[in-house]
Amino acid sequence: MTLPVHLRHDETFVLNLGPQHPATHGVLRVKLTMDGEYIVKAEPVLGYIHRMHEKLAEAGTYPQFMPNTARMDYLHALAFNHGYALAVEKAAGIEVPERAEYIRVITVELNRIASHLLWWAAFLLDLGGFTPLLYAFDDREQIIDLLERVTGSRLTYCYMRFGGVYNDIDDEFITGTRDFITRLRSRMPRMYHDLVTHNIILIKRIKDIGFISEEQCRRYGATGPVARGSGINYDVRKNEPYSVYQEFDFDVPVYSECDSMARYMVRMDEIEQSLRIIEQALDKLPDGPVMAKKVPKILKPGLGYHYSAVETARGSLGHMLVCNGDKNPYKLKLRSPTFSNLSLYGEVAEGMLLADALAFMGSLDLVIPEIDR
Amino acid sequence: MSVIESVKAAIEKVVPFSETVIPADPAGEGEEQQPDQVVHSAGAKEVDFAKTGCSLDVLCTAEQILDVAHALDGEQLFIESIAGVDWPKEDQIEVVYTFSHFQDSDVRVMVRLRVPRSEPKVPTISKVFSGADWHERETYDFYGVEFTDHPNLIRILLPEDADFYPLRKDYMP
Amino acid sequence: MESENVPSSIVQFAQLDKLLSLGRANSLWPMTFGLACCAIEMMCTGGSRYDISRFGAEVFRPSPRQSDVMIVAGTINKKLELAVKTLYDQMPEPKWVIAMGNCAISGGPFKVKENYNVVEGADKLFPVDVYIPGCPPRPEALLEGIMTLEEKITGTRRWPRV
């Protein structure tokens, strides 16, 4: 008599997931060694969207790389803009006017909400719910309208400049943003939490699934909502305040359950915190120029190694800039958050059911071009 | 003792702190600078966090990296990234590690080491920091730095059959 | 677009062919194949505001064997090349390809002399029917692309060009 597959422990098979798979959010491929429905070994294979950003950074001048930054993490493009602008400003010693800093914070936080909304939609789509996508996109389009008004594009923004931002915000943007805050706050409890967060199907799918310990986060260098869902109170906005984040009163949501539900809750709470930051920034918005005077046309930052970190929707983004006094960067290393976050996938997915592993993958919030760069 | 103090003490056991403090930005405006002037003397030193984004800059040798990694692991730092930098003039490849801390702000340790371009061999730290596995594979992919004892040193981003190291300065497709 | 009326088979069933192409044009099933940034705009097109189902093209199929139009939404690189080719080959005839965004048209911002990894255009791999420029193109542009494809299939446009 032959035993059912799951009982024959010496027999495993290899299952190929991706690079074209609806649940991998792009072109990630995972090589799974399966024992029946259980994963024995999961090995992510990267590089299907490697676009040589680091080479292009060396090839062009400092400002020429700015549009590329948005094409890495297209969901939170403004944070990548911001990170790169900060890195170069730090290296070249450019002062940014206060109004520009506030505008940067407002737009980056709006973009963060848009990113979390899209993650929410895509995550639930993975779990089999289509309706939430329509709700989330409805709200996301409002944000995109606002951002399009000031930045001129819908998705891949190139809004920041060294020394400020390219366009000032107007009254219509301010009233629009205030309306949006009210609108999202009124929709969050009923349409997001009642419909989805408290939904028993969702809870059964993601609660106690995908356990990432604090120690694992540290060993792998996981940051962002993944670390905060594992009880680590780490947010670059609080730990190494950059721009004007120290001016605002906001909390860092931390959950210590370490499961997919905790990561889900962190992101949902972050939406509210971002709204709080935007509200305060709009209240305090100072007058003045949005672009520093006397920014040299050809930047030649000082010699040496400069590291700067920002918090994107997915974690800590680092730019390591090596300058040699030339007009183009000698080396730009991009420390992308999801690269580290995904690297623990193999260890955590071991022994999981395949369906759970996909729910877990969704909870990591992957943006593949940012991993591959 | 604050985190930075104890990290310093831990590193000092492996890499001595150098006396000569080199300013992070020695360049005067308009002065012509050569790339090789970025090089500085060996040893660990404190640098200005506000200016460089790092609090410690450790220049060590390839043999010391494993001990440095153990020391930083003991201080509960996490690995942020590993990067390569190519210096063709000096015929060297530099490997830059950055570590940071979850609780204490303003702790970022940059560990740098240089290996000859013709035979770039560095011991792996993936046994200490599991996350280093992928970062090392990426550095191997881009620069051809061979991490000895690495469990799975294969191409990560480029196709498996690629036979070039694209981020080396002399590479041109 | 009269010149585009190439016979699709040796034996022609004039009215039946027309009827079939009308059916095909109004129920294009695109393949869910997001590669990069353009995929997000593709999702927006399927989302609440732009609502691609007004044009009968909302049935995104993850399997190439069930779809008849491939929207190449993003950059194709050397590692992915083979997978995209395989997907194209797996699609049943008749099939069409929309190259969405500059990367799929020509390599876009990655068509530089340092390029070591990006395939410069989807048309290097298989024939492309409609090109939609933009980085990324707006959802309206994708809708226009779908309508252009409909025009190519039936020979008539759904409604006049604005």
Side-chain angles (χ1 to χ4, degrees):
Chain A
M1 195 188 95
T2 47
L3 288 164
V5 175
H6 69 276
L7 292 178
R8 279 183 270 142
H9 281 291
D10 53 331
E11 275 188 33
T12 56
F13 62 96
V14 175
L15 184 69
N16 183 48
L17 186 78
Q20 192 260 337
H21 189 277
T24 54
H25 294 249
V27 282
L28 175 69
R29 176 176 161 219
V30 189
K31 231 160 87 183
L32 298 161
T33 311
M34 304 289 295
D35 177 9
E37 274 284 290
Y38 290 91
I39 293 170
V40 179
K41 193 173 167 228
E43 197 190 328
V45 183
L46 315 178
Y48 287 97
I49 193 81
H50 173 55
R51 300 194 276 191
M52 356 168 256
H53 285 294
E54 289 181 13
K55 184 82 179 173
L56 292 180
E58 291 171 20
T61 59
Y62 286 93
Q64 276 177 345
F65 187 64
M66 188 58 97
N68 279 58
T69 58
R71 275 146 192 91
M72 268 175 281
D73 183 351
Y74 41 74
L75 292 187
H76 200 187
L78 280 168
F80 270 64
N81 270 197
H82 196 187
Y84 180 60
L86 277 177
V88 176
E89 280 159 8
K90 207 187 233 178
I94 301 169
E95 289 283 324
V96 182
E98 211 184 359
R99 187 177 170 87
E101 295 275 25
Y102 274 79
I103 294 172
R104 281 180 177 186
V105 168
I106 295 167
T107 48
V108 165
E109 293 304 319
L110 274 176
N111 204 192
R112 188 187 310 274
I113 298 171
S115 167
H116 282 332
L117 287 178
L118 195 129
W119 162 80
W120 188 77
F123 179 48
L124 293 161
L125 197 61
D126 289 354
L127 300 178
F130 185 75
T131 319
L133 184 133
L134 299 175
Y135 288 150
F137 269 70
D138 192 6
D139 284 328
R140 192 171 170 271
E141 290 289 347
Q142 314 289 329
I143 302 178
I144 290 178
D145 278 352
L146 292 168
L147 289 177
E148 193 183 352
R149 192 177 169 77
V150 289
T151 64
S153 51
R154 276 175 56 90
L155 189 71
T156 47
Y157 312 105
C158 181
Y159 181 48
M160 314 256 175
R161 297 286 186 271
F162 306 129
V165 293
Y166 131 83
N167 194 6
D168 199 356
I169 58 176
D170 54 5
D171 289 340
E172 200 163 316
F173 174 84
I174 294 171
T175 45
T177 311
R178 286 196 195 277
D179 290 348
F180 170 75
I181 294 171
T182 332
R183 175 195 153 102
L184 191 60
R185 280 216 174 114
S186 69
R187 279 165 68 101
M188 277 306 273
R190 281 191 54 72
M191 295 180 84
Y192 290 76
H193 288 304
D194 283 1
L195 182 76
V196 177
T197 312
H198 305 143
N199 189 323
I200 188 75
I201 302 172
L202 179 83
I203 294 170
K204 292 254 183 206
R205 280 299 301 275
I206 65 175
K207 197 148 180 67
D208 298 324
I209 301 290
F211 187 86
I212 304 175
S213 71
E214 203 181 322
E215 177 61 18
Q216 265 172 333
C217 280
R218 190 184 69 77
R219 274 194 293 114
Y220 281 98
T223 49
V226 176
R228 290 197 283 276
S230 300
I232 297 170
N233 188 355
Y234 178 74
D235 187 319
V236 184
R237 289 174 295 173
K238 281 272 187 203
N239 283 44
E240 299 170 26
Y242 55 93
S243 200
V244 282
Y245 276 108
Q246 66 274 25
E247 309 274 311
F248 307 118
D249 172 35
F250 66 101
D251 303 321
V252 178
V254 178
Y255 285 78
S256 48
E257 284 85 5
C258 305
D259 56 359
S260 299
M261 191 70 192
R263 293 187 280 279
Y264 174 95
M265 287 313 293
V266 167
R267 295 201 180 91
M268 293 313 273
D269 289 2
E270 269 184 23
I271 293 179
E272 173 55 30
Q273 297 306 324
S274 292
L275 288 177
R276 276 180 69 192
I277 296 174
I278 298 167
E279 220 170 24
Q280 293 170 42
L282 285 175
D283 289 340
K284 289 185 186 171
L285 188 69
D287 285 328
V290 292
M291 191 69 200
K293 287 184 192 111
K294 285 193 277 181
V295 177
K297 280 271 183 293
I298 296 167
L299 282 174
K300 285 187 179 175
L303 303 185
Y305 297 72
H306 306 272
Y307 194 98
S308 90
V310 292
E311 181 79 16
T312 77
R314 271 152 282 279
S316 152
L317 160 76
H319 285 83
M320 197 203 66
L321 199 58
V322 182
C323 307
N324 67 343
D326 216 346
K327 64 181 188 305
N328 43 354
Y330 190 75
K331 160 81 190 170
L332 177 69
K333 160 76 185 175
L334 296 144
R335 186 259 181 217
S336 62
T338 340
F339 186 85
S340 303
N341 291 0
L342 181 68
S343 65
L344 50 73
Y345 185 78
E347 193 175 305
V348 177
E350 222 167 85
M352 260 188 196
L353 279 168
L354 180 58
D356 288 346
L358 287 178
F360 165 56
M361 190 193 283
S363 80
L364 290 178
D365 191 5
L366 305 176
V367 172
I368 313 300
E370 182 216 1
I371 300 173
D372 290 351
R373 282 159 288 140
Chain B
M1 197 156 67
S2 68
V3 176
I4 185 78
E5 302 268 299
S6 66
V7 170
K8 262 166 75 180
I11 289 176
E12 196 151 29
K13 285 180 192 142
V14 189
V15 186
F17 273 71
S18 65
E19 297 299 315
T20 49
V21 178
I22 297 165
D25 187 359
E29 298 303 312
E31 236 175 273
E32 274 299 308
Q33 296 286 340
Q34 292 304 312
D36 38 42
Q37 274 180 274
V38 183
V39 190
H40 65 75
S41 58
K45 65 170 184 289
E46 269 186 271
V47 283
D48 183 10
F49 188 86
K51 217 162 194 175
T52 61
C54 299
S55 37
L56 288 176
D57 189 358
V58 182
L59 201 67
C60 67
T61 60
E63 290 75 40
Q64 286 171 320
I65 184 65
L66 207 58
D67 294 332
V68 174
H70 274 297
L72 295 173
D73 185 42
E75 295 301 320
Q76 301 293 306
L77 270 78
F78 71 93
I79 182 153
E80 260 184 337
S81 71
I82 298 177
V85 186
D86 190 13
W87 299 99
K89 259 189 196 163
E90 293 115 65
D91 204 29
Q92 283 173 326
I93 287 180
E94 186 168 27
V95 184
V96 184
Y97 301 73
T98 38
F99 299 90
S100 189
H101 199 273
F102 277 135
Q103 272 81 42
D104 206 85
S105 52
D106 301 358
V107 176
R108 181 168 289 114
V109 183
M110 187 183 269
V111 183
R112 301 189 275 147
L113 60 89
R114 290 191 175 210
V115 281
R117 225 158 163 265
S118 49
E119 206 192 358
K121 274 192 179 162
V122 183
T124 177
I125 60 161
S126 59
K127 305 244 170 19
V128 190
F129 290 97
S130 326
D133 185 326
W134 281 20
H135 289 294
E136 284 177 354
R137 275 174 69 189
E138 191 197 296
T139 313
Y140 165 72
D141 208 351
F142 285 166
Y143 292 92
V145 179
E146 202 180 308
F147 291 91
T148 48
D149 295 333
H150 190 284
N152 186 25
L153 196 65
I154 51 168
R155 297 250 175 198
I156 187 166
L157 294 179
L158 290 164
E160 282 155 28
D161 56 351
D163 55 354
F164 53 86
Y165 301 115
L167 260 73
R168 288 196 179 191
K169 288 283 176 190
D170 52 7
Y171 170 75
M172 205 61 195
Chain C
M1 278 276 185
E2 263 67 41
S3 60
E4 295 273 311
N5 267 335
V6 186
S8 53
S9 55
I10 310 254
V11 187
Q12 289 280 306
F13 301 94
Q15 294 305 317
L16 182 63
D17 261 6
K18 269 189 186 164
L19 187 68
L20 280 177
S21 55
L22 196 66
R24 281 169 186 150
N26 285 292
S27 65
L28 289 168
W29 286 18
M31 187 164 71
T32 319
F33 190 35
L35 293 171
C37 335
C38 295
I40 304 298
E41 289 298 66
M42 196 162 81
M43 278 169 85
C44 285
T45 321
S48 348
R49 184 182 287 180
Y50 296 96
D51 197 9
I52 200 172
S53 48
R54 291 177 293 160
F55 306 94
E58 86 281 19
V59 195
F60 280 95
R61 292 281 110 174
S63 165
R65 298 186 197 282
Q66 297 169 350
S67 44
D68 47 18
V69 53
M70 183 187 206
I71 304 178
V72 185
T75 322
I76 303 172
N77 73 9
K78 299 235 166 92
K79 200 166 177 174
L80 190 69
E81 196 178 15
L82 203 66
V84 184
K85 249 189 204 156
T86 315
L87 286 170
Y88 178 76
D89 292 342
Q90 282 175 338
M91 281 165 62
E93 293 277 359
K95 56 190 170 189
W96 299 277
V97 175
I98 296 179
M100 182 183 183
N102 290 352
C103 293
I105 294 173
S106 69
F110 306 103
K111 191 181 162 70
V112 287
K113 68 177 195 301
E114 287 85 6
N115 175 7
Y116 61 83
N117 207 32
V118 168
V119 175
E120 292 174 354
D123 49 10
K124 292 251 183 343
L125 308 175
F126 37 69
V128 174
D129 298 271
V130 178
Y131 295 90
I132 309 172
C135 190
R138 297 177 61 90
E140 293 96 328
L142 179 57
L143 293 178
E144 173 67 29
I146 298 238
M147 281 199 277
T148 313
L149 186 60
E150 284 172 12
E151 192 182 344
K152 180 167 182 177
I153 296 167
T154 60
T156 50
R157 198 176 155 83
R158 194 185 275 259
W159 52 66
R161 214 177 286 269
V162 259

